[in-house]
Amino acid sequence: MQLPAQKAHEQRHNGQKAPDMQERPPDDLLVRITEHTRPNACVLALLGSTGAWNLSALERAFRDAGATGRPLVVDLSGLDFGDEVLLGLLLHAYASPCGLVLIAPAAGAFTRRLHRTGVEEIFNTQHSLALALAQLPG
């Protein structure tokens, strides 16, 4: 169910309109992009695992989310495994002038990766979507 202040971003896969949440074969990564108007934000939810096998889908998701021109909230709470490519995409998004807030990963592996690489402190990380959206202007 979509709230009135949300607009689902429909993605196309193999020339067909895809549902709001889709699996991108042959990987195990689900991607959902939702635009919010109050506050103005684009929420990119990643569920499953990232790796070389779904690199193009992950890059496309970040590119599509960035193209909205809205501050980005990346929901990592459904992430089972995040690799160095995901970390690089997050660092790139952090450098964008639109802004970036993360929803903390539930699995400890990516949290440990953020800590080991010394970048966990640069990200504004919250524990829920409501808290993440509250960090954004109006």
Side-chain angles (χ1 to χ4, degrees):
M1 180 171 118
Q2 295 279 332
L3 298 175
Q6 297 178 357
K7 177 181 141 194
H9 179 76
E10 293 180 348
Q11 299 180 8
R12 296 196 178 263
H13 186 63
N14 294 332
Q16 298 177 351
K17 190 182 285 188
D20 183 44
M21 177 163 298
Q22 69 180 17
E23 187 162 354
R24 296 174 182 256
D27 57 49
D28 62 346
L29 177 69
L30 296 173
V31 175
R32 179 179 56 223
I33 299 176
T34 307
E35 293 180 45
H36 291 253
T37 55
R38 290 186 197 96
N40 186 32
C42 179
V43 179
L44 172 60
L46 302 175
L47 299 106
S49 300
T50 66
W53 60 91
N54 55 28
L55 172 64
S56 63
L58 187 62
E59 288 177 332
R60 184 173 46 250
F62 271 86
R63 186 175 52 248
D64 290 350
T68 67
R70 297 170 184 252
L72 181 59
V73 174
V74 180
D75 183 352
L76 303 172
S77 63
L79 192 68
D80 297 324
F81 175 79
D83 67 348
E84 62 278 354
V85 173
L86 174 59
L87 180 58
L89 289 167
L90 289 172
L91 289 169
H92 181 74
Y94 173 78
S96 123
C98 292
L100 172 69
V101 179
L102 303 182
I103 298 176
F110 195 68
T111 301
R112 286 190 299 277
R113 182 180 299 273
L114 294 173
H115 178 73
R116 279 194 319 271
T117 56
V119 298
E120 70 181 337
E121 297 300 320
I122 70 167
F123 292 116
N124 179 353
T125 304
Q126 302 298 319
H127 292 286
S128 71
L129 177 58
L131 291 172
L133 292 174
Q135 299 295 307
L136 302 173

